[in-house]
Amino acid sequence: MKEKLSAKNFAGYGMCDFANGLAFCVMSSYLSVYCSDILGISGACITAIMLAARIWDGINDPIMGFLVQGKRPGRNGKYRPFLLWGGIPLAVVSVLVFLNPGGGLAFRTVWVAAMYICYGMLYTVVLVPYGSLASVMTTDQSERSILSMCRSVGGGLGNLPALIFPILVMTAGADGNQMDAHRLFIAMIIIAAAMIVFYFLGFKLTTERVVVTEEREKVSVRTTVRGVLKNRAFVSMSLIGCLLIAAQMYTSTVNLYLFKDYFQNSAMNTVYMLITYLPMLLMIPFANRIIKKIGKKEFSLGCLAVSVVASFLTYVLHLGTGNVYGFILLAVFINAGVGFITLEIWSMAADIIDHNEWKTGRREEAADYAIFTFMRKIGQALAALAPWFVTLAGYDSSLAGSGVSQGEGVLNGMYNVATLVPFILYLAIFLLLIIYPLNKKTTEQMHRELAQARAAYHTEKV
């Protein structure tokens, strides 16, 4: 009988994404406002920096995936050491991104661009091995689902800084509603220290039990990519992962502007995020039962229909500046709908890696996961358009902290870009999920046949 994962293994795996999320949530929510309001960088330039970082990721992510794929397991396993090798420098660079170097605008722009690109590279050094780690911790589908939930919960808890930052760092300016750069920098030092602690705990508490002993056939990058592009399950779920993170990061960024300027109440952003996380947390005890009875795809489709309708209503109703509670109420329905797929996205990523093995006979979890991660980086690039869209709406960063309103036309434009884009993204996710082929029946057949093939292989070897 295979040894089951223990509670500490699940906790350790979740702790790693908690560490990932600590800096990631600040980057996705606050970097744009920091660059525009503190460093004086234009929205178009901020978007260019973020797009440049994602273009480099397009080169960096696959390289990392194939490097990790070719690494032989050592005393501490194949993937676990990267939690420390990448995690510690990642924590340091996360602080340096928010270090105001002074000097002219050009120098400040180059500094933040260089540090942000370094952050993205180091994040890949951690993320690709970490994502691949789940596939060698267990082959049991129930345990993989729990690992996915632990990762989602860990990443969600890692967003705690984003929840309390409106209270901690949005305290400057004439209305006490603007970013305080000194407080932000001190907060990032604390976050970096916590990241190092939790990466170390994740390293100690996780284990690699699934050891591939057979000689692998050397496969070219072109063969791997071509196989993935022909796999409808892989392509559709990778696009879903891309658009899901795009919607989440875009919303985090534009909502900071929206609550700060449209609703004139940054503190309510904390309430918004706390309340909208609740539906996902309430699903956790029932997720495995739902999967066994209904299936991941089937239940996700019903949930996403709720998100599409609620996000459409948020846009067309155009809630007024005094109706912040109505805005938050609709957000609860949006996040209740998308909550299940957010919990299960990493389990689905493992499914499409298994599906690629089922179709091709090759097990290339690190390379496949790197491609999946790259698609999520594309989603981050799409979300990087948020400050540009806000600028197109007419946002003037020179008014930040002055107590002068952006103007009614600008505020209405900001509301439109904050609500229309998420609706489009959720609708696209819903349509992609319809064509995603791994329904409950097919997934069960795939896992059953893979288990038989692996058992047959090891019997032959013995």
Side-chain angles (χ1 to χ4, degrees), residues 103-162:
L105 177 61
F107 180 72
R108 295 195 302 271
T109 302
V110 170
W111 171 271
V112 78
M115 291 301 105
Y116 183 65
I117 289 172
C118 285
Y119 164 83
M121 292 175 63
L122 290 167
Y123 191 66
T124 296
V125 172
V126 175
L127 197 64
V128 170
Y130 171 62
S132 304
L133 179 60
S135 65
V136 295
M137 288 181 69
T138 180
T139 57
D140 183 271
Q141 295 310 307
S142 179
E143 289 185 335
R144 280 190 176 179
S145 180
I146 296 172
L147 284 173
S148 178
M149 285 186 281
C150 288
R151 176 170 184 173
S152 296
V153 171
L157 292 175
N159 284 328
L160 285 174

Side-chain angles (χ1 to χ4, degrees), residues 358-372:
W358 190 39
K359 290 298 183 183
T360 66
R362 300 189 303 270
R363 181 73 183 179
E364 301 167 311
E365 64 275 341
D368 288 348
Y369 185 81
I371 296 170
F372 181 78

